């Protein structure tokens, strides 16, 4: 391999390491007595007609040190109002990933209302929750879980 190719490869490798992680902006949009629902607003960008974002389910109660939660990838096709689930990840109280699985669910009609209806409104109608946003789910939890 020539010296020029080696230098270029080293430069590209350095760029990959220096690239910042994708931005996150988690906003609370729904809750029950047991669960708070958040959506990653920064992920609401359509690609080839499909908006893929992440939904988080966080226990509504608990100490700031309990980082347990579940995230789910939700894909919405605005052209026909259908959605489906992708990868789900479960985290324990320390924030460590404990389970990851992908659902290969078919596209289904997304009814108005409810958690998935709200995600569809965020993705397709450019609506946004009226709560403040947090840069990470951990920041949301440490900030009193949005209370």
């Amino acid at each position: 391999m020539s010296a020029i190719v080696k230098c270029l490869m080293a430069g590209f490798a350095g760029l990959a390491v220096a690239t910042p992680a994708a931005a996150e902006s988690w906003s609370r949009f729904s809750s029950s007595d047991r669960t708070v629902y958040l959506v990653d607003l920064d992920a609401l960008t359509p690609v080839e007609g499909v908006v893929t974002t992440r939904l988080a389910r966080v226990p509504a109660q608990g100490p700031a040190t309990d980082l347990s939660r579940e995230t789910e990838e939700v894909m919405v096709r605005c052209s026909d109002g259908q959605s489906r689930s992708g990868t789900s990840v479960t985290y324990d109280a320390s924030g460590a990933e404990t389970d990851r699985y992908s659902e290969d669910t078919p596209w289904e009609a997304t009814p108005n209302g409810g958690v998935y209806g709200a995600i569809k409104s965020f993705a397709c109608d450019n609506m946004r929750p009226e709560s403040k946003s947090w840069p990470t789910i951990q920041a949301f939890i440490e900030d009193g879980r949005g209370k």
Side-chain angles (χ1 to χ4, degrees):
M1 199 178 320
S2 76
I4 293 173
V5 172
K6 286 181 184 177
C7 286
L8 286 173
M9 289 178 65
F12 287 130
L15 284 174
V17 171
T19 303
E24 297 178 4
S25 182
W26 292 94
S27 186
R28 176 185 174 142
F29 70 93
S30 186
S31 65
S32 68
D33 292 343
R34 302 184 72 190
T35 307
V36 177
Y37 299 90
L38 305 166
V39 62
D40 182 1
L41 298 175
D42 282 355
L44 288 168
T45 304
V47 176
E48 296 181 14
V50 176
V51 176
T52 301
T53 191
R54 292 182 300 156
L55 159 71
R57 293 176 187 87
V58 178
Q61 305 293 322
T65 55
D66 180 356
L67 303 177
S68 58
R69 63 196 183 271
E70 180 180 310
T71 61
E72 176 186 344
E73 181 180 54
V74 179
M75 292 159 273
V76 179
R77 205 167 48 196
C78 296
S79 63
D80 59 8
Q82 295 190 337
S83 63
R84 69 179 183 180
S85 294
T87 302
S88 292
V89 183
T90 305
Y91 300 87
D92 66 13
S94 72
E97 183 177 317
T98 59
D99 191 23
R100 174 182 292 264
Y101 60 93
S102 290
E103 295 186 59
D104 196 14
T105 61
W107 289 100
E108 295 182 348
T110 307
N112 293 328
V115 172
Y116 296 99
I119 297 288
K120 181 176 80 172
S121 293
F122 304 148
C124 303
D125 302 330
N126 205 27
M127 295 179 68
R128 295 296 182 261
E130 293 184 15
S131 75
K132 77 179 208 178
S133 296
W134 292 265
T136 63
I137 297 171
Q138 180 172 343
F140 167 78
I141 292 170
E142 291 172 347
D143 192 32
R145 299 174 191 262
K147 295 178 182 170

